[in-house]
């Protein structure tokens, strides 16, 4: 089932999310819905708060880039109750966007390498290191479960420049091809 994507301005996007309870019912259904919602919106990552849930869960699928970059083949993952334990390597700048902040694309500086502990869709635990674009997407999604949005990383000047677009999103003035839930709708 395709879920509405909560837009910037919705309170849930600002919450530090809680761990997903071990006995959470319908986890498979939630994960299926999150992937479906993400694919429908042409996204490569989606986090719990973006579908209105303040739980530490996010999904990522980079297969869309696999033709150009074979390293992304089969990179379809679910991260539950994740904790980033290390961030190091170089600072890398690259453009990001977000399904919750339509029509805004801005450069964000992030560390090139992370170490993360998480549970997968079968609740098996992992402790892994990711680098490059994978590390970037994971950090973007991880920010969501910490109540952080990518525009928070922008410098004062860039923030000023996207202000108008952000206020349109708050008012629900967006041109999304997917179903959304703007802050103006309770
Ligand atoms: Zn996002």
């Amino acid at each position: 089932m395709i879920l509405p994507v909560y837009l910037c301005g919705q309170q849930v996007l600002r919450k530090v999310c809680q761990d997903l309870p071990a006995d959470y019912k319908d986890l498979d259904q939630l994960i299926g819905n999150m992937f479906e919602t993400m694919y429908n919106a042409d996204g490569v990552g989606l986090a719990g708060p973006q579908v209105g849930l303040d739980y530490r869960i996010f999904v990522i699928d980079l297969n869309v880039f696999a033709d150009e970059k074979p390293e992304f083949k089969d990179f379809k993952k679910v991260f539950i109750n994740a904790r980033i334990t290390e961030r190091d390597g170089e600072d890398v700048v690259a453009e990001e966007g977000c399904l919750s902040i339509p029509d805004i694309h801005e450069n964000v500086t992030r560390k090139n390498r992370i170490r993360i502990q998480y549970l997968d869709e079968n609740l098996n635990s992992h402790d892994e290191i990711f680098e490059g674009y994978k590390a970037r997407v994971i950090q973007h999604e991880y920010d969501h479960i910490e109540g952080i949005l990518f525009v928070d990383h922008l410098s004062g000047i860039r923030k000023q420049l996207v202000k108008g677009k952000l206020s349109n999103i708050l008012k629900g003035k967006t041109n999304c091809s997917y179903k959304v839930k703007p802050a103006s709708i309770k």
Side-chain angles (χ1 to χ4, degrees), residues 57-69:
I57 180 169
F58 55 90
V59 301
I60 293 175
D61 190 343
L62 301 182
N63 273 289
V64 68
F65 304 122
D67 281 350
E68 281 176 36
K69 301 207 168 174

Side-chain angles (χ1 to χ4, degrees), residues 50 97-99 140-141 144:
Q50 295 183 279
C98 180
L99 296 180
H140 177 115
E141 298 310 326
H144 276 300

Side-chain angles (χ1 to χ4, degrees), residues 66-78:
D67 281 350
E68 281 176 36
K69 301 207 168 174
E71 60 175 302
F72 297 140
K73 191 167 164 33
D74 300 328
F75 194 88
K76 179 180 177 182
K77 283 182 172 291
V78 178

Side-chain angles (χ1 to χ4, degrees), residues 13-165:
L13 290 167
R14 289 308 191 179
K15 284 192 174 170
V16 176
C17 294
Q18 53 186 317
D19 277 341
L20 190 90
D23 60 351
Y24 186 83
K25 284 196 179 66
D26 304 325
L27 178 61
D28 290 347
Q29 195 188 354
L30 171 63
I31 291 168
N33 289 346
M34 286 180 73
F35 275 116
E36 199 182 339
T37 301
M38 183 185 87
Y39 295 138
N40 176 63
D42 292 326
V44 296
L46 188 78
Q50 295 183 279
V51 291
L53 291 174
D54 64 335
Y55 286 126
R56 299 183 78 85
I57 180 169
F58 55 90
V59 301
I60 293 175
D61 190 343
L62 301 182
N63 273 289
V64 68
F65 304 122
D67 281 350
E68 281 176 36
K69 301 207 168 174
E71 60 175 302
F72 297 140
K73 191 167 164 33
D74 300 328
F75 194 88
K76 179 180 177 182
K77 283 182 172 291
V78 178
F79 294 81
I80 296 168
N81 299 347
R83 296 285 188 287
I84 289 180
T85 55
E86 290 170 27
R87 296 179 203 245
D88 52 28
E90 285 172 51
D91 285 334
V92 182
V93 180
E95 196 178 79
E96 294 188 15
C98 180
L99 296 180
S100 295
I101 314 176
D103 302 328
I104 297 181
H105 295 88
E106 289 287 329
N107 281 337
V108 178
T109 306
R110 295 194 189 271
K111 290 288 179 194
N112 191 48
R113 182 182 172 279
I114 58 153
R115 180 172 176 181
I116 186 168
Q117 297 175 349
Y118 65 97
L119 305 175
D120 63 22
E121 62 275 29
N122 300 311
L123 303 181
N124 294 319
S125 63
H126 300 265
D127 185 348
E128 291 180 288
I129 287 166
F130 295 100
E131 292 184 6
Y133 188 68
K134 290 175 187 173
R136 171 171 297 274
V137 177
I138 292 168
Q139 287 177 88
H140 177 115
E141 298 310 326
Y142 186 84
D143 272 357
H144 276 300
I145 62 169
E146 293 285 321
I148 299 166
L149 298 171
F150 84 93
V151 288
D152 299 345
H153 295 289
L154 303 182
S155 70
I157 294 168
R158 294 306 309 172
K159 258 186 204 153
Q160 265 321 105
L161 288 169
V162 299
K163 219 174 166 181
K165 281 187 181 174

